[in-house]
Amino acid sequence: MTELPARRLLLVHAHPDDESINNGVTMARYAAEGAHVTLVTCTLGERGEVIPPELAHLSGAALGGHRRGELTAAMRALGVDDFRLLGGPGRFADSGMTGLPDNDDPGCLWQADVDRAAELLVEVIREVRPQVLVTYDPDGGYGHPDHIQAHRIAMRAAELAAEAGCPIAKVYWNRVPRTVAEGAFARLDEELPGLPFEKAAGVEDVPGVVDDERITTEIRGEGTAYATAKTAAMSAHVTQITVAGPHFVLSNELAQPVFTTEYYELVRGERAGDSDGGARESDLFAGIETEETP
């Protein structure tokens, strides 16, 4: 078996594109620094809305296959080699947006047995033995069924892995501090007349926004190659994202800022830094004794 690097990071996401929007800087940084970065995506996003008119014919399995290609291109931009689909391609289907009949599809992620799905993720954990896990908060960031279910699966897998002798030292949830989001949208409103987008989203449209004091960790990317890699990775998800400089839109055509500093809340494990919690970590692996693993 190939020896794995001393630092190993696992990210669990619902659909292709979620990883680039939420964690592109983080993934690019740790991949460049030689850490082993593993992405597990739970569905192929077969029910996503398609932006480009020339690709509007794609739906279902055809869209899922196309988005798998987009994911491959995004991972190339981030320098990540280890990316997988939970249980293999097509094991869990996209559940669609909240309240749609798609949520009742017995093959969709929302209908999956959490323990059984978590066992599939435990197989990955036993293989790569990550010290750090990144996923969504209990609301999935903004309430999407697949995001909520990905959170449940990731957190349950962490529990099962610990019971199996493969504990994960630190678990983080994706976050955005409220003041950062408010400031970014204030600047966006001023810049909107010069952008190729007609309308702006709002703070309420950003997943995982919380009060600043809940943020424990930030990974900075402004002005670095990591920020450039993030934008390139987002741009690779052509069916889902349109990027214009430091801004982007999803299928709702509402402009949002690209956050090139990424924020996290440590929910399991020991926080490095001041004992009173005043200092934010600048490294997801802070405080972890790392070693290579066979």
Side-chain angles (χ1 to χ4, degrees):
M1 182 182 296
T2 303
E3 189 175 78
L4 291 173
R7 296 186 298 169
R8 301 176 296 279
L9 168 64
L10 171 64
L11 305 99
V12 178
H13 277 289
H15 317 103
D17 81 348
D18 294 325
E19 81 297 323
S20 298
I21 296 171
N22 286 279
N23 310 116
V25 164
T26 302
M27 296 174 73
R29 168 185 160 176
Y30 285 111
E33 290 180 354
H36 188 91
V37 179
T38 301
L39 169 68
V40 175
T41 307
C42 295
T43 81
L44 282 169
E46 302 92 336
R47 292 186 168 108
E49 297 180 358
V50 177
I51 295 175
E54 65 272 19
L55 297 176
H57 63 281
L58 294 171
S59 63
L63 177 57
H66 190 90
R67 293 188 69 177
R68 189 179 181 187
E70 293 178 345
L71 180 62
T72 299
M75 292 303 96
R76 188 180 306 118
L78 297 178
V80 173
D81 298 322
D82 186 4
F83 54 100
R84 314 161 185 225
L85 292 159
L86 184 64
R91 179 63 177 267
F92 301 105
D94 187 340
S95 307
M97 299 299 288
T98 303
L100 294 179
D102 298 330
N103 301 166
D104 299 323
D105 179 349
C108 77
L109 187 68
W110 184 241
Q111 295 297 328
D113 180 274
V114 170
D115 275 5
R116 291 181 181 177
E119 287 287 1
L120 296 172
L121 186 56
V122 170
E123 293 177 11
V124 178
I125 294 171
R126 291 172 67 94
E127 176 187 342
V128 301
R129 294 183 176 268
Q131 298 106 335
V132 176
L133 168 65
V134 170
T135 191
Y136 312 103
D137 63 20
D139 187 48
Y142 70 109
H144 191 293
D146 286 335
H147 288 237
I148 294 171
Q149 196 75 324
H151 160 85
R152 293 172 177 170
I153 291 167
M155 298 303 290
R156 181 58 177 148
E159 294 175 352
L160 294 174
E163 293 172 4
C166 298
I168 298 173
K170 301 173 83 172
V171 177
Y172 291 94
W173 293 343
N174 291 305
R175 293 298 195 191
V176 178
R178 191 171 306 281
T179 60
V180 169
E182 290 172 347
F185 278 99
R187 292 188 295 274
L188 174 57
D189 287 340
E190 295 176 356
E191 298 167 0
L192 191 61
L195 299 178
F197 310 126
E198 294 184 1
K199 297 181 179 180
V203 172
E204 67 279 3
D205 297 305
V206 177
V209 174
V210 294
D211 293 340
D212 290 33
E213 57 266 25
R214 293 186 63 175
I215 306 300
T216 61
T217 312
E218 59 182 48
I219 304 297
R220 293 191 168 274
E222 293 98 331
T224 70
Y226 310 138
T228 303
K230 173 172 182 165
T231 302
M234 291 175 62
S235 298
H237 292 286
V238 177
T239 61
Q240 306 300 304
I241 304 172
T242 301
V243 179
H247 308 96
F248 74 100
V249 296
L250 301 171
S251 60
N252 60 12
E253 299 184 348
L254 299 176
Q256 297 187 46
V258 175
F259 291 106
T260 53
T261 291
E262 294 169 349
Y263 300 89
Y264 301 93
E265 179 183 1
L266 178 66
V267 295
R268 292 189 184 176
E270 294 297 323
R271 177 175 177 176
D274 294 349
S275 59
D276 63 3
R280 288 180 182 171
E281 300 173 321
S282 59
D283 179 7
L284 299 179
F285 292 90
I288 297 175
E289 293 185 10
T290 57
E291 60 181 19
E292 294 183 351
T293 183

